[in-house]
Amino acid sequence: MARKHREAVISEIPPVTAGALLGPDALCRHFLASAAAGRYLDLFHLWELFKLFPDECKPVLASRQKAQEKARKKMQTATHLGLLGSAERVASDIDRAAGLPWRWLQEILEPMGPAIRQRPVVLAAMLRKDPSFEANVPEDPSDRWLAEAAALRESGQDVPEPIDTLLGRFADRLPATLATLSMTHDQYPDRVPALIDRVDLAANDIAAVLAWARDHGHGEQLVGRIAEEVRSAAAENRAEGLARWKSWTSRGVELEMPESLRVPTLEGLDLGRPESADLIKAMVDDGADLVPQEILDGVAGDNRMLGEKAYEAFVCAGFTDIHLPLVLEGNPMVRPETRCPACQAWTWVRPGHESRCPHDGMPLGSNPDQQAAEAVEAVDAAVSTIDPAGLQLDPPMPKPEVGERPSAPPPPSAPVDAPTTNDAVPAAPEQATPEQGQPEQGQPEQAQAPAEQQPAAPEGS
């Protein structure tokens, strides 16, 4: 096989196979060809193999200078990309490199001093590997630099003194996350209030940050920021301010309702929202001149979908003197089976209506099928408590004897004095029974008697 094809094939052979079947020299060729193909991390394995079998590896390395140059270029490309993106990978390569790979990595990083200073993770790795490396930290670090430095301290690794000093000087500019808050509270407690002012109130972990602030004595400061945000939103838009106030109070934050929301008017409110119904209920309880049914009729007359939402919200808010607006009765976009049987609210406008409906017709957490099953069980329980001995039942009807049933009358066309025999007058199918006897041949006068006056005698008489 030609050398070109052999180099292309050997990079695909598993290293265990190459080492076990072909020996250290074949495994050296495998690592070198694999690194030249793009998997530059195999250079670190190559150096470990070289330390164990130097005599077998030296001829291979001497005869494959072009493959070494390709592997070096692959490492250089990965390092450049890492300094612009995933700096943790470059720091890991620096900590792992030794021998020839480390000399190559030093040559790659030496002209990239400005880029290294902007990545504290790489700078720390260089100072750990080579304490004589010139550590030029930026005078005004960016937010990304501070975030990486804080993550480096949180990981438990050794933080060089220049990075630690700069981190402490600009601790109030750290991103206000749960990790940075804990780190700042332990290392720089006087900088925590400045960090609280940088908390993103719309972050996904705001509940955890709020709990941390309460536990560490900074809850009032954070709640004050929340109250100010709610007041500003309510001053610009009552519906938005009310929605934010409701969202924070549902999370357990005790906030006073802004003055602009306590004005007894419907202006600026979204009547389809449940918090608007709660606010109107509070206004009516305080004596505001508002009629809930008139509000619902007006909303439903303008927009039936908004009217359905408003009626459901009003019912769940606790209004007991309201009914479904006439405009919404027979609404074509609502199927009858999707309405609440207790209050006629459309249960599809907001999930979970069954658990909120305050009417007695539908207890909390129940549904019509469950109620029907419970009613059947109640009836069965009531029937089981009845004492059969105390009931007065009608006596059973006596069953007539089979022999007492009259025989069929003769047909009207037959003469009266004609003898009635089985051949002349057959019995009716529905009245003839096997037990009926036949008249005797020696008594014609009994055979000539009408059937009403002389019934047939049963067998065995």
Side-chain angles (χ1 to χ4, degrees):
M1 182 182 293
R3 179 176 179 180
K4 177 180 179 181
H5 300 294
R6 186 170 65 250
E7 294 292 338
V9 171
I10 198 171
S11 63
E12 303 299 331
I13 298 176
V16 176
T17 303
L21 300 180
L22 305 178
D25 54 343
L27 186 58
C28 180
R29 290 194 300 270
H30 165 80
F31 285 140
L32 188 56
S34 178
R39 295 182 284 269
Y40 75 96
L41 294 179
D42 283 339
L43 289 174
F44 305 140
H45 301 301
L46 176 61
W47 179 250
E48 297 295 332
L49 180 67
F50 180 84
K51 291 191 300 182
L52 296 176
F53 306 97
D55 297 336
E56 289 83 353
C57 295
K58 285 180 180 180
V60 176
L61 294 177
S63 62
R64 287 169 170 77
Q65 297 294 328
K66 185 180 292 186
Q68 293 184 46
E69 186 62 26
K70 288 183 179 180
R72 186 180 183 279
K73 289 183 179 180
K74 298 296 183 181
M75 176 185 285
Q76 182 179 5
T77 302
T79 303
H80 288 175
L81 294 177
L83 288 175
L84 299 176
S86 179
E88 291 78 8
R89 170 58 67 86
V90 180
S92 176
D93 293 344
I94 294 173
D95 293 334
R96 187 178 180 184
L100 181 63
W102 168 237
R103 188 168 70 247
W104 288 352
L105 198 55
Q106 279 183 308
E107 295 174 357
I108 294 171
L109 292 173
E110 184 176 357
M112 304 181 66
I116 294 175
R117 287 195 297 270
Q118 297 300 324
R119 306 308 299 266
V121 178
V122 180
L123 180 59
M126 288 295 295
L127 291 174
R128 288 194 301 267
K129 194 76 172 181
D130 184 9
S132 63
F133 183 80
E134 186 179 359
N136 295 326
V137 295
E139 296 181 358
D140 187 14
S142 62
D143 292 343
R144 187 182 74 168
W145 195 97
L146 293 173
E148 286 188 9
L152 180 64
R153 173 181 284 278
E154 184 185 357
S155 64
Q157 300 181 12
D158 295 335
V159 180
E161 183 179 355
I163 298 178
D164 192 23
T165 303
L166 190 63
L167 184 62
R169 189 190 311 169
F170 294 95
D172 53 346
R173 287 179 47 193
L174 290 173
T177 62
L178 200 59
T180 56
L181 283 170
S182 300
M183 187 270 293
T184 306
H185 182 268
D186 296 337
Q187 301 293 330
Y188 320 102
D190 57 327
R191 307 292 182 89
V192 175
L195 205 58
I196 292 292
D197 291 336
R198 294 170 55 85
V199 171
D200 184 10
L201 299 180
N204 295 330
D205 60 343
I206 185 59
V209 173
L210 186 60
W212 184 94
R214 288 171 177 170
D215 296 340
H216 293 80
H218 300 279
E220 294 183 0
Q221 180 182 357
L222 190 56
V223 171
R225 284 194 57 202
I226 295 173
E228 182 61 28
E229 182 194 46
V230 172
R231 282 194 296 268
S232 301
E236 297 178 2
N237 189 326
R238 293 187 73 196
E240 179 65 20
L242 181 60
R244 294 192 183 185
W245 178 84
K246 183 67 174 179
S247 174
W248 286 113
T249 54
S250 63
R251 295 178 181 179
V253 181
E254 296 182 0
L255 294 177
E256 184 180 359
M257 183 176 291
E259 185 66 28
S260 58
L261 298 179
R262 293 199 295 265
V263 179
T265 177
L266 303 180
E267 183 180 358
L269 296 180
D270 184 1
L271 299 180
R273 297 289 302 167
E275 58 267 15
S276 299
D278 296 335
L279 179 60
I280 295 173
K281 183 66 167 60
M283 292 179 181
V284 172
D285 293 342
D286 292 341
D289 188 15
L290 298 174
V291 182
Q293 189 61 50
E294 294 181 0
I295 297 173
L296 289 175
D297 293 339
V299 172
D302 297 336
N303 188 327
R304 284 191 295 188
M305 187 63 190
L306 184 60
E308 294 282 1
K309 294 181 179 180
Y311 178 70
E312 197 274 341
F314 275 47
V315 168
C316 295
F319 288 105
T320 58
D321 55 347
I322 60 175
H323 58 80
L324 186 68
L326 298 178
V327 181
L328 302 181
E329 293 185 0
N331 190 353
M333 65 180 178
V334 180
R335 294 190 299 178
E337 60 269 17
T338 61
R339 288 197 180 276
C340 175
C343 62
Q344 296 302 306
W346 191 19
T347 58
W348 284 12
V349 296
R350 192 157 57 110
H353 173 82
E354 292 80 3
S355 62
R356 296 188 305 269
C357 184
H359 289 71
D360 295 335
M362 177 176 288
L364 297 179
S366 63
N367 53 60
D369 296 337
Q370 182 179 358
Q371 289 182 353
E374 293 176 355
V376 171
E377 293 178 359
V379 171
D380 294 338
V383 171
S384 63
T385 58
I386 298 177
D387 186 9
L391 297 178
Q392 294 182 358
L393 302 177
D394 295 335
M397 296 295 294
K399 295 183 179 180
E401 297 292 339
V402 178
E404 298 179 354
R405 295 181 62 181
S407 60
S413 58
V416 178
D417 54 348
T420 58
T421 62
N422 290 338
D423 297 335
V425 184
E430 64 275 4
Q431 295 182 358
T433 57
E435 292 82 2
Q436 289 180 347
Q438 301 296 334
E440 299 180 1
Q441 297 294 333
Q443 299 178 354
E445 63 277 11
Q446 295 180 1
Q448 297 177 1
E452 304 89 38
Q453 300 178 5
Q454 184 65 31
E459 289 183 356
S461 57

